[in-house]
Amino acid sequence: MPDPAALRIYADDFSTALRLVARNSWRQSIQSWLVVPTGIMMILAVCFGIEKIFDLGNISFPASVACLIILFLALLLSERVLGEHRTRRLVAYIDIPAGWSLRWISMCFTPSFVLLPLSPPIGVIEVLKIIAVFVIGFIVMMVFTAYMTRGLQAILGTSKRAMIERAEELGPEGDEIPMTDIADGNLPGNQTDGSATAMTARSSIDLATLSPAMASQATSQIRLHEPEPPTPPSEVNENGSPDRDQPSPQEPEPAERAKLWAAVVVSHVDSLTFVAIFLSIGMPLYYTTGYGMPMHLAFSILTYYTALALPPSWKQFLHPVLVSSLITVLGIWVLGLAEGRNLYTTLTEYRTGAKYSKLWDGSHKLPGAGDILGSVLDASIVALALPMYQYRRELREHFFAIVTPNILVSIASLFAYPYICFEIGITAERSLAFSARSLTLALATPAVVNIGGDTYTIAAIAIASGITGALIGQKILAWLKIPEDDYVTRGVTLGANSSAIATAMLLRTDPRAAALSSLSMGLFGTITVLFTSIPPIAHAIRSLVGL
């Protein structure tokens, strides 16, 4: 029989651990569960307003991409009118929701893969044709982009060597945006103008935000000891300082076991929260009312956390988006079978089509988990304006070497891929999807929708492009004899052909190339979406496949 005294000790330690967690993580919890969602809702509200304006003019252009451009231009204008320091403080506030959405942008890609079983059936021969076009097209576009960028630098005289400049890459620069104070819970208003922290803090919207994010890091740094109690008045001497000659009764130090438990809870607070939502809200609601969004959303997020825990060497082949999507499909299918639902019914419940714009427009459908993640993805697209603004000086310095290849590669992709794919026997909708093959999925989806392509196909090939670039992109550049210190060519080539996943890979080898890769990725996607939003161009592209 358990010892009552031992049980009492364990209960006391557990209670102490909970107090430590609550005391040290409440600020982070308020930011994560109140401030960030409020900020994302504000971003989506602006997108909704822009969409309504476009509807009045019958303009077919994604509101999220329009807001990205507007925010980027507004920040440039603010810097010119209000000054760099005030603009930094403005960006710090915007970064609260925008930085979060960028850190988790990869998770928002998972619905496109989860819904792949709903795509029309495809034959083996067509699959082989798609693979052939993908492989050959990837190599050709890499060669085309690399040599064009290299040639433009030679013509314009802007070729750079990063060997000298790399010494400054990780140090504080004059144009850094002091965002980390916000991430740690310190609002800009709490700092005095010109403080050292405000001038030198590293930005939380660094290029690492484009790679799959780990669980919240801020919580792991929370101190787990009780604050020192104030000195009782009776123990203060006549000078007003503590009397060191008298013993000062202090609150007993928490037990080591309580500290350990608190540390474990704090380091896994996000996962534990979603486990609680899954078990206490999601499952009861699903099996009593049939509404699956809370359960599906919590399960999707937990599978993504699981995929992130894989060893780094595994993630080179098993990307978290692919792993979490596969587990999600199998998991929600099994959960649906308990209620007699087949896979088709379960997946249609996973995404009902009731994104934020439909809900605010009067739709009576309840959103699914895929709709929630898709709505957050729109906020992530807008947030891409922040890294573009952060590296605005590199953009200005290498403007023509970045913009020209992106425009030409975008035009080539829009007109060459659909025509070639359709001519060799790939269906019209899948042929159109190839036009956005190398875009990040956040921008590839609206581009393909604009021209009537298959969104299931673009979800697969866009992620495949990123993984391929991360695996063999550097080897192709070495085969092309691109110097390792030519960060402009490396950044532009990988950004335009392999988007976010290759950009994350560059962070470990050449951060300055990763900066230009981020810019190239954003510009290439924006240019492609712009082209597909122009009705004559979209009609011309569709005509290539007989539509």
Side-chain angles (χ1 to χ4, degrees), residues 78-252:
S78 173
E79 184 180 23
R80 179 64 63 89
V81 176
L82 301 178
E84 185 177 358
H85 183 73
R86 288 189 176 90
T87 303
R88 286 178 178 178
R89 295 173 67 84
L90 174 63
V91 169
Y93 282 109
I94 298 173
D95 176 56
I96 298 175
W100 181 92
S101 62
L102 278 181
R103 282 187 289 275
W104 295 101
I105 187 173
S106 293
M107 184 172 62
C108 298
F109 296 157
T110 56
S112 297
F113 276 91
V114 170
L115 297 170
L116 278 178
L118 297 180
S119 60
I122 180 172
V124 176
I125 300 300
E126 187 170 358
V127 170
L128 295 176
K129 291 177 180 178
I130 289 175
I131 293 174
V133 171
F134 176 85
V135 173
I136 296 173
F138 183 87
I139 296 173
V140 170
M141 285 298 184
M142 284 280 291
V143 174
F144 179 73
T145 310
Y147 283 143
M148 178 180 296
T149 307
R150 184 85 173 149
L152 283 171
Q153 290 185 84
I155 294 171
L156 299 173
T158 59
S159 180
K160 300 292 181 182
R161 292 292 184 266
M163 293 297 186
I164 298 176
E165 296 173 341
R166 279 179 182 172
E168 302 175 357
E169 283 176 345
L170 299 179
E173 297 181 2
D175 62 340
E176 277 295 347
I177 307 169
M179 302 179 190
T180 50
D181 297 325
I182 296 293
D184 293 334
N186 300 321
L187 295 177
N190 295 338
Q191 299 203 18
T192 58
D193 293 347
S195 68
T197 303
M199 296 301 293
T200 61
R202 293 289 295 173
S203 169
S204 67
I205 300 298
D206 205 345
L207 288 170
T209 62
L210 299 177
S211 62
M214 297 300 292
S216 176
Q217 298 297 317
T219 55
S220 64
Q221 300 173 358
I222 297 174
R223 56 188 176 85
L224 294 176
H225 60 273
E226 299 281 1
E228 184 178 353
T231 305
S234 60
E235 299 178 10
V236 178
N237 60 25
E238 60 182 4
N239 296 325
S241 59
D243 190 348
R244 300 301 180 187
D245 296 332
Q246 299 183 13
S248 175
Q250 295 184 359
E251 186 175 325

Side-chain angles (χ1 to χ4, degrees), residues 54 59-62 65-70 73 388 403 407 410-411 414 439 443-444 446-448 450-451 522-538 541:
F54 285 171
I59 299 173
S60 176
F61 188 78
V65 179
C67 289
L68 180 157
I69 298 171
I70 293 171
L73 296 177
M388 290 178 65
V403 173
I407 293 176
S410 176
I411 294 173
L414 287 172
L439 272 65
L443 295 172
V448 169
N450 287 342
I451 56 178
L523 285 172
F524 182 49
T526 303
I527 290 168
T528 303
V529 173
L530 279 170
F531 283 154
T532 59
S533 300
I534 300 173
I537 295 179
I541 296 171

Side-chain angles (χ1 to χ4, degrees), residues 355-402:
K355 288 177 60 177
Y356 70 97
S357 57
K358 298 292 184 183
L359 288 174
W360 294 346
D361 217 12
S363 173
H364 297 292
K365 285 185 177 181
L366 293 174
D371 301 302
I372 300 296
L373 294 175
S375 298
V376 175
L377 181 58
D378 279 4
S380 301
I381 295 175
V382 179
L384 287 171
L386 294 190
M388 290 178 65
Y389 173 75
Q390 182 177 358
Y391 295 104
R392 62 201 179 278
R393 295 180 182 174
E394 284 83 353
L395 174 61
R396 182 171 60 247
E397 182 180 358
H398 305 288
F399 181 80
F400 289 104
I402 296 173

Side-chain angles (χ1 to χ4, degrees), residues 448-524:
V448 169
V449 169
N450 287 342
I451 56 178
D454 181 25
T455 55
Y456 299 108
T457 301
I458 188 56
I461 61 178
I463 295 296
S465 295
I467 295 174
T468 303
L471 293 177
I472 65 172
Q474 296 277 43
K475 296 178 181 179
I476 293 178
L477 291 173
W479 175 68
L480 297 175
K481 307 297 183 183
I482 302 299
E484 291 188 3
D485 57 350
D486 186 358
Y487 62 86
V488 177
T489 300
R490 290 179 172 272
V492 172
T493 303
L494 290 173
N497 287 279
S498 299
S499 64
I501 300 175
T503 300
M505 177 269 299
L506 283 173
L507 284 170
R508 301 191 300 271
T509 58
D510 194 341
R512 195 173 293 271
L516 295 185
S517 179
S518 173
L519 288 170
S520 182
M521 176 190 69
L523 285 172
F524 182 49

Side-chain angles (χ1 to χ4, degrees), residues 228-353:
E228 184 178 353
T231 305
S234 60
E235 299 178 10
V236 178
N237 60 25
E238 60 182 4
N239 296 325
S241 59
D243 190 348
R244 300 301 180 187
D245 296 332
Q246 299 183 13
S248 175
Q250 295 184 359
E251 186 175 325
E253 186 74 12
E256 290 299 322
R257 183 165 49 210
K259 290 182 180 180
L260 177 62
W261 288 352
V264 171
V265 172
V266 167
S267 62
H268 297 88
V269 65
D270 294 334
S271 300
L272 293 173
T273 300
F274 284 105
V275 167
I277 292 174
F278 177 80
L279 295 176
S280 63
I281 299 176
M283 293 187 70
L285 190 65
Y286 183 64
Y287 291 118
T288 57
T289 68
Y291 183 50
M293 187 276 287
M295 184 184 70
H296 290 164
L297 182 62
F299 188 80
S300 296
I301 294 171
L302 289 171
T303 59
Y304 190 75
Y305 286 163
T306 303
L308 289 177
L310 293 174
S313 58
W314 290 25
K315 286 189 283 189
Q316 292 182 357
F317 305 95
L318 300 174
H319 193 270
V321 171
L322 299 177
V323 175
S324 61
S325 298
L326 177 60
I327 299 175
T328 298
V329 171
L330 296 176
I332 64 176
W333 183 21
V334 171
L335 292 168
L337 287 175
E339 280 289 289
R341 293 176 170 87
N342 58 26
L343 180 60
Y344 176 84
T345 302
T346 301
L347 293 180
T348 54
E349 293 173 344
Y350 182 83
R351 188 173 71 181
T352 65

